[in-house]
Amino acid sequence: MRQAWRWFGPESGVPLDAVRQAGATDVVTALHEVPIGRAWTESEVAARKSLIEDTPQGRSPLVWSVVESIPVPDAVKRKGVAAKAEIEAWIASLEAVAANEIGVICFNFMPVVDWTRTDLDYELPSGATAMRFDQDRFAAFDLHILQRKGAAAEYSTEDRARAKAVFEAMSDEDVADLTTNIASALPGSTTEPLTIPAFRDRLESYAGIDAARLRHHLIEFLAAVAPAAESCGVRLTLHPDDPPRSLFGLPRIASTADDYAAVFDAVPSPGVGMCYCTGSLGVRADNDLPAMAHRFAARIHFAHLRATKREGDGRSFHESAHLEGDVDMVAILRELLAEDRRRTLDQTIIFRPDHGHRILDDLTKKVTPGYPAIGRLRGLAELRGIVHALETGA
């Protein structure tokens, strides 16, 4: 398998030499500066590709092998193929990527919000910090800050009481921080930052969209873009919901094995696959991750390898170290390696260490939430160790 590294571009503060020093050979990135819904051009993609792949003398080469992500506009999620202009723009971006010989595109179909956390620097017993989703803090935001219409009916009496207590203990600064963490797009998100009024309006725009309707629109979208992907030799990978359950009363339709099976049954193109994100899928205790890797092996074109730890209430969780938490990384990598051995070199599985703890010098630096260099370096080293052991029979 090919080892990759998520890079947020020349303004991210992480130089490409850091990717080389981590031992990765492949870069995962996107044109994050392009507005959602506007088609990427071949020249824009080529410029970013040259920045990554024009190797300075004496440096190890890097390859931009995965685009993460080309955002899917809300109009597509709400209207399916009726959002014709938006789908055509997405296909144009796909074709610009293919023209530059980049073979994998990752995307998600989460409505309104992308990956969601309540805390970005939750302190662990070691003194390191991690990202966390705290169910009571989330409910406090939903019920008392966002004040979403009809939200109270979705929480139990006990949930509402805890959320109220959490909210009443918050300072104005706490409220502002929580709002930023949830309503502002996190790094790599394919949604846009929202004010509270804009957040309510966006939620209202999904009135009447249930899970069946959202899945239908996803299938329509894939049926529309898959022929272009096939003709260009590009593999598409659907990222799971994060967390893999409903938020703000919105449906989520990429959370379980059954969700993916429904999509793959409806869109049989082998180029339509999954981004196998162990951290997202691992939040649900009913997701058997090694079994999912075995079942969908041929559809896994890209993997995010990280671990999460479910907390006592079963709904809160935090990011754990890559070999800890609720993810059996050894069993997962055994399945991925078995699949990768069956493939030709140009179809190999690309993986990256996803997220990481804020540790060592990163604790005193301004770092991208979820993407500190040293925490991910540790994660990649641990994953590489498992791969080496499995490949050599150690």
Side-chain angles (χ1 to χ4, degrees):
M1 298 193 296
R2 296 186 64 86
Q3 300 172 23
W5 189 267
R6 184 78 181 269
W7 186 61
F8 289 100
E11 306 303 320
S12 67
V14 177
L16 288 168
D17 272 353
V19 181
R20 295 182 175 95
Q21 291 159 20
T25 56
D26 291 49
V27 170
V28 177
T29 193
L31 303 184
H32 298 289
E33 68 278 9
V34 175
I36 294 174
R38 200 263 275 170
W40 299 5
T41 66
E42 286 187 28
S43 60
E44 288 172 327
V45 178
R48 184 59 50 85
K49 182 180 172 72
S50 293
L51 184 63
I52 294 166
E53 298 189 6
D54 289 353
T55 308
Q57 186 174 4
R59 291 289 196 267
S60 303
L62 295 172
V63 178
W64 182 8
S65 56
V66 179
V67 167
E68 186 181 348
S69 300
I70 301 177
V72 179
D74 265 331
V76 177
K77 299 169 190 174
R78 289 187 285 105
K79 300 190 294 183
V81 290
K84 183 178 178 182
E86 288 83 358
I87 292 175
E88 288 176 348
W90 204 92
I91 292 172
S93 297
L94 179 157
E95 291 171 343
V97 167
N100 282 278
E101 300 181 328
I102 303 166
V104 177
I105 296 173
C106 178
F107 70 98
N108 76 67
F109 219 72
M110 291 180 265
V112 181
V113 288
D114 204 311
W115 61 295
T116 302
R117 299 292 185 270
T118 58
D119 302 88
L120 304 184
D121 272 308
Y122 172 65
E123 188 167 339
L124 300 167
S126 66
T129 68
M131 293 191 298
R132 183 181 186 223
F133 182 98
D134 182 294
Q135 177 63 29
D136 291 340
R137 282 169 58 76
F138 177 82
F141 174 82
D142 194 13
L143 292 166
H144 300 286
I145 300 172
L146 181 62
Q147 297 179 5
R148 177 171 61 91
K149 186 186 303 182
E154 298 173 16
Y155 295 91
S156 69
T157 301
E158 294 78 10
D159 288 340
R160 294 196 298 271
R162 288 195 302 271
K164 182 178 180 182
V166 167
F167 176 71
E168 289 178 345
M170 285 183 177
S171 65
D172 289 345
E173 183 179 1
D174 293 333
V175 169
D177 287 345
L178 182 59
T179 301
T180 297
N181 292 349
I182 294 178
S184 294
L186 289 170
S189 172
T190 57
T191 58
E192 297 169 320
L194 296 170
T195 64
I196 292 298
F199 204 132
R200 296 191 189 110
D201 290 345
R202 191 75 64 82
L203 290 173
E204 279 294 314
S205 74
Y206 277 84
I209 305 291
D210 60 9
R213 176 58 56 183
L214 186 64
R215 181 176 291 109
H216 179 68
H217 290 166
L218 169 60
I219 290 168
E220 286 188 332
F221 167 72
L222 287 172
V225 303
E230 284 187 22
S231 67
C232 293
V234 170
R235 293 174 289 168
L236 305 177
T237 65
L238 172 63
H239 190 285
D241 303 322
D242 187 3
R245 59 174 180 263
S246 173
L247 298 180
F248 302 113
L250 296 166
R252 299 270 198 155
I253 44 87
S255 296
T256 67
D258 287 345
D259 287 339
Y260 276 96
V263 173
F264 297 154
D265 287 346
V267 188
S269 168
V272 173
M274 73 186 302
C275 171
Y276 179 67
C277 180
T278 57
S280 300
L281 295 167
V283 168
R284 289 183 65 125
D286 58 343
N287 278 339
D288 183 333
L289 270 62
M292 290 178 74
H294 183 81
R295 179 179 180 181
F296 301 120
R299 296 278 199 155
I300 296 173
H301 307 312
F302 180 38
H304 290 178
L305 301 182
R306 64 180 169 93
T308 41
K309 178 65 178 176
R310 298 184 292 273
E311 299 178 11
D313 63 5
R315 294 175 292 176
S316 301
F317 63 91
H318 62 270
E319 309 271 1
S320 69
H322 284 69
L323 303 191
E324 299 171 11
D326 297 308
V327 173
D328 186 346
M329 199 65 75
V330 174
I332 287 164
L333 279 166
R334 185 177 287 114
E335 293 289 348
L336 295 181
L337 283 167
E339 169 60 23
D340 200 61
R341 292 187 194 105
R342 292 188 283 266
R343 300 190 181 190
T344 58
L345 185 61
D346 64 332
Q347 296 291 306
T348 192
I349 296 170
I350 301 161
F351 77 91
R352 66 173 179 85
D354 194 15
H355 301 177
H357 288 169
R358 194 171 181 181
I359 60 175
L360 305 177
D361 289 356
D362 281 339
L363 288 166
T364 60
K365 298 175 183 175
K366 183 178 180 180
V367 300
T368 304
Y371 294 93
I374 302 173
R376 287 189 292 156
L377 175 65
R378 173 189 171 183
L380 182 56
E382 292 175 340
L383 296 169
R384 187 183 292 125
I386 296 175
V387 170
H388 179 76
L390 291 172
E391 287 182 331
T392 61

